[in-house]
Amino acid sequence: VAKTIVKCPHLMSDSLEHNLKPTVQWLKELGMDDSQVAKTITTFPQLMGVSLEENLKPRVQWLKELGMDDSQVAKTIVKFPSLMGCSLEDNLKPKVEILREYEFTDIQVVRILSTFPVLLGLSSKQVRTPVSCLASIGCLEESLVVHLHEFD
């Protein structure tokens, strides 16, 4: 708790009933257990100050539209909670478009993002460079995930 408050002191002034409790409940409804909710909030406490309706739900809806099921969405957020603070238009969607430029199928995109969601937090150059190199030699998406870790 102390680490979380040090990282994000505004939590002390946020409304428990109007912001904190609904966000925790919503994370549980996504399929997270208490330890996953705690890990998510500890890793990215700013999540608790982000609008549920205007920010969090649209990002989850977008992940579902990509083809993720509820379990994949929850695991993706637990692995990379900062994604919930990323701009859909300026950050998240362009990364998926880079993958699509290299003809990754929707199923492959979902597999890549659910395995390595940190990709969404990388710069476009950090995504494009290894994708371009690996795609040019016919690399499978599983290998792409392994090799992207090297460019992190």
Side-chain angles (χ1 to χ4, degrees):
V1 175
K3 269 196 233 180
T4 302
I5 292 171
V6 168
K7 282 185 185 178
C8 203
H10 82 286
L11 290 177
M12 297 301 292
S13 63
D14 282 350
S15 165
L16 185 64
E17 293 300 321
H18 292 102
N19 197 24
L20 302 178
K21 279 186 178 180
T23 301
V24 168
Q25 182 59 36
W26 180 74
L27 292 170
K28 288 180 177 183
E29 289 170 6
L30 285 176
M32 291 185 198
D33 61 30
D34 288 342
S35 67
Q36 290 172 317
V37 171
K39 179 182 177 189
T40 300
I41 293 169
T42 302
T43 305
F44 187 62
Q46 298 87 339
L47 177 79
M48 300 305 289
V50 176
S51 168
L52 190 58
E53 295 300 323
E54 294 177 26
N55 299 97
L56 302 180
K57 287 183 179 181
R59 280 156 187 73
V60 166
Q61 183 58 38
W62 177 74
L63 291 170
K64 288 180 177 182
E65 288 169 3
L66 287 176
M68 286 190 187
D69 61 31
D70 290 342
S71 173
Q72 288 171 311
V73 168
K75 287 177 185 172
T76 299
I77 295 169
V78 171
K79 285 182 183 178
F80 185 57
S82 298
L83 105 94
M84 299 308 282
C86 294
S87 166
L88 270 172
E89 298 303 321
D90 297 332
N91 193 328
L92 303 178
K93 289 180 180 180
K95 305 308 173 8
V96 170
E97 288 310 310
I98 290 170
L99 295 175
R100 288 187 173 144
E101 285 173 23
Y102 291 94
E103 300 181 10
F104 285 99
T105 66
D106 290 343
I107 291 169
Q108 290 171 320
V109 168
V110 166
R111 190 175 304 149
I112 291 166
L113 296 181
S114 62
T115 304
F116 187 63
V118 174
L119 175 133
L120 294 168
L122 299 175
S123 72
S124 292
K125 182 180 179 184
Q126 287 174 305
V127 174
R128 189 177 300 283
T129 301
V131 170
S132 173
C133 177
L134 295 168
S136 72
I137 59 172
C139 183
L140 298 174
E141 80 272 10
E142 288 85 3
S143 298
L144 174 64
V145 171
V146 170
H147 293 291
L148 279 171
H149 285 287
E150 296 171 9
F151 290 88
D152 201 0

